[in-house]
Amino acid sequence: MADAVQYRLERMSDELDDLERRGLFTHAELAEVVRRRRDFEFRLRRHSPLRSDFLDYIAYELRFDALRNLRKRAIIRATPQPDDTDANDGDKKKKRKGKKWKKSISDIAGVLRVLDIYRMATVRYKGDLDLWFRYLEFCRDKRHGRMKQVLAQAIRYHPKVPGLWIYAAAWEFDQNLNVAAARALMQSGLRSCPESEDMWIEYLRMELTYLNKLKARKVALGEDVKTLQKNNDDEDIWKDENKELFMSLDEQDEGPRKSSSEGVALEGKEDLFWQQGLLIIQTIYRGAMEALPSSLSLRKRFLEILNNVDLAHSDELKVDVMDDLKKDFSHSEDYWDWFARLQLSESTNSSNLNIKEASTNKLNKSIQVYDEAIRRLPTSRMYSLYAKFWMGVLFADTEDSISLFHGGEFDASEFSSRILEVYNSAESCGCLTDDLACQYVSLSLRFGGINEAPGRGLEEAKSLAKKLCGGPLPHAANLWNLRASIEMKFLATSTGSSSFSKENLNSLFDLFTVALSKLSIPEAEKLWHTV
């Protein structure tokens, strides 16, 4: 082991001599560098080197190389510039400066050493994905030629990791500008990871981006509909229209008028891009549905992409996707919840409505979807999602708040009866859970006395809690706790004092006795604290 360490240190001699000769480090500083490197090398060559040993060595080398670069720049700035009045001396200084600071071994040795440490680390820890991605990021940042080799090694060891395939394809597409290689990588990745949603979505994005680049190239070459017949008078307009390389697929160009026959022919070229884009989406969509027929989130992501592009017959494809969703996921509560919330984001057809009327129309559409959902799926989860939607609409301080009316004029009492009907329907269907029952009682307490006497809501909540605890939910611990707090609050309100009479205490004692007989000891812990 000592011989191997000594051999690696001896290979650094040329680099160290160059650093001293250039005046970047003193002899004492370089001796300290050698000592630190020797320690790191021995740590890497012990029987079981740790992952942190490699990372510490890499961090040290990166700091050392950054210090070398800073000192080099400081010396360059301090070097006197050649004087124009003295041409001969200036030429000598330029030659001396250029000779002294031309690229040498010390400029590249740091990067090569870090790459070598990463190589040893990934050999030792082949299954560490974070280490592989650090290695890849370093190669990409330094624009080193080892990038392809490292990508191939990482994919060979981890062929089932979609992130590596996407990373490799993105590098080929964006950095290496090799569309064919990027497409081949994505297709190989889809064969290895056919059940990865991210792979299908990123493949679609890549193909649409490439199509967008082709359209931009057509525009730049003057082959587009509006730029084929450009002349000197239209030069400024043409520059304005093509100032950006990446153009939106739904962007409509404006240019000089052409004859009808010429316009039809060129319009066909433009429509070709729109049709190709739709064909790409259809092909990838069919492949994704064959690979992941039960994935709801994948189809939702496809719809998001369709909503962001404007291609030929894209509306028809949206309808087909929505029909497939309803046919395949009408048994899923998540589908109905997503579809109902989708109604809130759709634009209204009428422009004569004010903000409140438009929002109310959207809300009514969502309610209709939820009503249909509970008719088809009368389950506790469906009612919970429906109630959660209402809580987000009515209250801005909830976790899933829906900013449909917030910020404008909104009266919660207008919809109080609607949300209470949801809980009432859940009770009649036998789908009322402990949490839903607590929400039911709390909202009854909040809305019951809005238009009645101040204590009316408390009395209604008390009666409702008593009915639920004695009927469908006799073993609901949270409901019993809520009922106990409401009973105590009701007695305090009715007596107008915080101290209870003996009769009131007896009634509370009877309530706690019944509750404790219905609940297990762990469930009754909170109730014991209340007592």
Side-chain angles (χ1 to χ4, degrees), residues 319-350:
V319 174
D320 293 339
V321 174
M322 293 300 297
D323 291 341
D324 291 342
L325 276 167
K326 189 170 184 179
K327 180 179 66 176
D328 297 337
F329 296 97
S330 59
H331 60 281
S332 172
E333 294 91 347
D334 292 329
Y335 161 74
W336 289 105
D337 183 54
W338 166 79
F339 185 50
R341 292 174 182 267
L342 183 65
Q343 310 305 314
L344 300 179
S345 60
E346 292 184 351
S347 59
T348 55
N349 296 327
S350 177

Coordinates of all heavy atoms in Angstrom, one line a residue, residues 319-350:
V319 N -60.6 15.5 -26.1 CA -61.9 14.8 -25.9 C -61.7 13.3 -25.8 O -62.3 12.6 -24.9 CB -62.9 15.1 -27.0 CG1 -64.2 14.3 -26.8 CG2 -63.3 16.6 -27.0
D320 N -60.9 12.7 -26.6 CA -60.6 11.3 -26.6 C -59.9 10.9 -25.2 O -60.3 9.9 -24.6 CB -59.7 10.9 -27.7 CG -60.4 11.0 -29.1 OD1 -61.7 11.0 -29.1 OD2 -59.7 11.1 -30.1
V321 N -59.0 11.7 -24.8 CA -58.3 11.5 -23.5 C -59.3 11.5 -22.4 O -59.3 10.7 -21.5 CB -57.1 12.4 -23.3 CG1 -56.5 12.2 -22.0 CG2 -56.1 12.2 -24.4
M322 N -60.2 12.5 -22.4 CA -61.1 12.7 -21.3 C -62.1 11.5 -21.3 O -62.5 11.0 -20.3 CB -61.9 14.0 -21.5 CG -61.1 15.2 -21.2 SD -60.3 15.3 -19.6 CE -61.8 15.4 -18.6
D323 N -62.5 11.1 -22.5 CA -63.4 9.9 -22.6 C -62.7 8.6 -22.1 O -63.4 7.8 -21.3 CB -63.9 9.7 -24.0 CG -64.8 10.8 -24.5 OD1 -65.4 11.5 -23.7 OD2 -64.9 11.0 -25.7
D324 N -61.5 8.5 -22.4 CA -60.7 7.3 -21.9 C -60.6 7.4 -20.4 O -60.7 6.3 -19.7 CB -59.3 7.3 -22.5 CG -59.4 6.9 -24.0 OD1 -60.4 6.4 -24.5 OD2 -58.4 7.2 -24.7
L325 N -60.4 8.6 -19.9 CA -60.3 8.7 -18.4 C -61.5 8.3 -17.7 O -61.5 7.6 -16.7 CB -59.9 10.2 -18.1 CG -58.4 10.6 -18.1 CD1 -58.3 12.1 -18.1 CD2 -57.7 9.9 -17.0
K326 N -62.7 8.8 -18.2 CA -63.9 8.5 -17.6 C -64.3 7.0 -17.7 O -64.8 6.4 -16.8 CB -65.1 9.3 -18.2 CG -66.4 9.2 -17.5 CD -67.4 10.2 -18.0 CE -68.6 10.2 -17.1 NZ -69.6 11.2 -17.6
K327 N -63.9 6.4 -18.8 CA -64.2 5.0 -19.0 C -63.3 4.1 -18.1 O -63.8 3.1 -17.6 CB -64.0 4.6 -20.5 CG -64.2 3.1 -20.8 CD -64.0 2.9 -22.3 CE -62.5 3.0 -22.7 NZ -62.3 2.7 -24.1
D328 N -62.1 4.5 -18.0 CA -61.1 3.6 -17.3 C -61.1 3.9 -15.8 O -60.6 3.0 -15.0 CB -59.7 3.8 -17.8 CG -59.6 3.3 -19.3 OD1 -60.5 2.5 -19.7 OD2 -58.7 3.7 -20.0
F329 N -61.4 5.1 -15.3 CA -61.3 5.5 -13.9 C -62.5 6.0 -13.3 O -62.5 6.7 -12.3 CB -60.2 6.6 -13.8 CG -58.8 6.2 -14.3 CD1 -58.4 6.4 -15.6 CD2 -58.0 5.5 -13.4 CE1 -57.1 6.0 -16.0 CE2 -56.7 5.1 -13.8 CZ -56.3 5.4 -15.1
S330 N -63.7 5.7 -13.8 CA -64.9 6.1 -13.2 C -65.2 5.4 -11.9 O -66.0 5.8 -11.1 CB -66.1 5.8 -14.1 OG -66.2 4.4 -14.5
H331 N -64.4 4.3 -11.6 CA -64.5 3.7 -10.3 C -63.5 4.2 -9.3 O -63.5 3.7 -8.1 CB -64.1 2.2 -10.5 CG -62.7 1.9 -11.0 ND1 -62.4 2.1 -12.3 CD2 -61.6 1.6 -10.4 CE1 -61.1 1.9 -12.5 NE2 -60.6 1.6 -11.3
S332 N -62.8 5.3 -9.6 CA -61.7 5.8 -8.7 C -62.2 7.2 -8.2 O -62.7 8.0 -8.9 CB -60.4 6.0 -9.5 OG -59.5 6.7 -8.7
E333 N -62.1 7.3 -6.9 CA -62.5 8.5 -6.2 C -61.6 9.7 -6.6 O -62.0 10.8 -6.7 CB -62.5 8.4 -4.7 CG -63.5 7.4 -4.1 CD -63.0 6.0 -4.0 OE1 -61.9 5.7 -4.6 OE2 -63.7 5.2 -3.4
D334 N -60.3 9.3 -6.8 CA -59.3 10.4 -7.2 C -59.7 11.0 -8.6 O -59.5 12.2 -8.8 CB -57.9 9.8 -7.3 CG -57.4 9.4 -5.9 OD1 -57.8 10.1 -4.9 OD2 -56.6 8.4 -5.8
Y335 N -60.2 10.2 -9.5 CA -60.6 10.7 -10.8 C -61.7 11.8 -10.6 O -61.6 12.9 -11.2 CB -61.0 9.6 -11.7 CG -61.8 10.1 -12.9 CD1 -61.2 10.8 -13.9 CD2 -63.2 10.0 -12.9 CE1 -62.0 11.3 -15.0 CE2 -64.0 10.4 -14.0 CZ -63.4 11.1 -15.0 OH -64.1 11.6 -16.0
W336 N -62.7 11.4 -9.9 CA -63.9 12.4 -9.7 C -63.4 13.6 -9.0 O -63.9 14.7 -9.3 CB -65.0 11.7 -9.0 CG -65.7 10.6 -9.8 CD1 -65.5 9.2 -9.6 CD2 -66.6 10.8 -10.9 NE1 -66.3 8.6 -10.5 CE2 -67.0 9.5 -11.3 CE3 -67.1 11.9 -11.5 CZ2 -67.8 9.3 -12.4 CZ3 -68.0 11.7 -12.5 CH2 -68.3 10.4 -13.0
D337 N -62.6 13.5 -8.0 CA -62.1 14.7 -7.3 C -61.3 15.6 -8.2 O -61.4 16.8 -8.2 CB -61.2 14.2 -6.1 CG -60.7 15.4 -5.3 OD1 -61.5 16.2 -4.9 OD2 -59.5 15.5 -5.1
W338 N -60.4 15.0 -9.1 CA -59.6 15.8 -10.0 C -60.5 16.4 -11.1 O -60.4 17.6 -11.4 CB -58.6 14.9 -10.7 CG -58.0 15.5 -11.9 CD1 -57.0 16.4 -12.0 CD2 -58.4 15.2 -13.3 NE1 -56.7 16.8 -13.3 CE2 -57.5 16.0 -14.1 CE3 -59.3 14.4 -13.9 CZ2 -57.6 16.0 -15.5 CZ3 -59.4 14.4 -15.3 CH2 -58.5 15.2 -16.1
F339 N -61.5 15.6 -11.6 CA -62.4 16.2 -12.6 C -63.2 17.3 -12.1 O -63.5 18.3 -12.8 CB -63.2 15.0 -13.2 CG -64.1 15.4 -14.3 CD1 -63.6 16.0 -15.4 CD2 -65.5 15.1 -14.3 CE1 -64.3 16.4 -16.5 CE2 -66.3 15.5 -15.4 CZ -65.7 16.1 -16.5
A340 N -63.7 17.2 -10.9 CA -64.5 18.3 -10.3 C -63.7 19.5 -10.1 O -64.1 20.6 -10.4 CB -65.1 17.8 -9.0
R341 N -62.5 19.4 -9.6 CA -61.6 20.5 -9.4 C -61.1 21.1 -10.7 O -60.8 22.3 -10.8 CB -60.4 20.2 -8.6 CG -60.7 19.8 -7.1 CD -59.5 19.3 -6.4 NE -59.9 18.9 -5.0 CZ -59.8 19.8 -3.9 NH1 -59.3 21.0 -4.1 NH2 -60.1 19.4 -2.7
L342 N -61.1 20.3 -11.8 CA -60.8 20.8 -13.1 C -61.8 21.8 -13.6 O -61.4 22.7 -14.4 CB -60.6 19.6 -14.1 CG -60.2 20.0 -15.5 CD1 -58.8 20.5 -15.5 CD2 -60.3 18.7 -16.4
Q343 N -63.0 21.7 -13.2 CA -64.0 22.7 -13.7 C -63.7 24.1 -13.2 O -64.1 25.1 -13.9 CB -65.4 22.2 -13.1 CG -65.8 20.8 -13.4 CD -65.7 20.4 -14.9 OE1 -66.1 21.1 -15.8 NE2 -65.0 19.3 -15.1
L344 N -63.0 24.2 -12.1 CA -62.7 25.5 -11.6 C -61.7 26.3 -12.4 O -61.6 27.5 -12.4 CB -62.2 25.4 -10.1 CG -63.2 24.8 -9.1 CD1 -62.5 24.7 -7.7 CD2 -64.5 25.6 -9.0
S345 N -60.8 25.5 -13.1 CA -59.8 26.1 -13.9 C -60.2 26.4 -15.3 O -59.4 27.0 -16.1 CB -58.5 25.2 -13.9 OG -58.8 23.9 -14.4
E346 N -61.3 25.9 -15.8 CA -61.7 26.1 -17.2 C -62.3 27.5 -17.3 O -62.9 28.1 -16.4 CB -62.8 25.1 -17.6 CG -62.2 23.7 -17.6 CD -63.3 22.7 -18.1 OE1 -64.5 23.1 -18.2 OE2 -62.9 21.5 -18.4
S347 N -62.0 28.1 -18.5 CA -62.5 29.4 -18.8 C -64.0 29.4 -19.1 O -64.5 28.4 -19.6 CB -61.7 30.0 -20.0 OG -61.9 29.2 -21.1
T348 N -64.7 30.5 -18.8 CA -66.1 30.6 -19.0 C -66.3 31.1 -20.4 O -65.6 31.9 -21.0 CB -66.7 31.6 -18.0 OG1 -66.0 32.9 -18.1 CG2 -66.6 31.1 -16.6
N349 N -67.5 30.7 -21.0 CA -67.8 31.0 -22.4 C -68.3 32.5 -22.5 O -68.1 33.2 -23.4 CB -68.8 30.1 -22.9 CG -68.3 28.7 -23.0 OD1 -67.1 28.5 -23.3 ND2 -69.1 27.7 -22.8
S350 N -69.1 32.9 -21.5 CA -69.7 34.2 -21.5 C -68.7 35.3 -20.9 O -68.2 35.1 -19.8 CB -71.0 34.2 -20.8 OG -71.6 35.5 -20.8

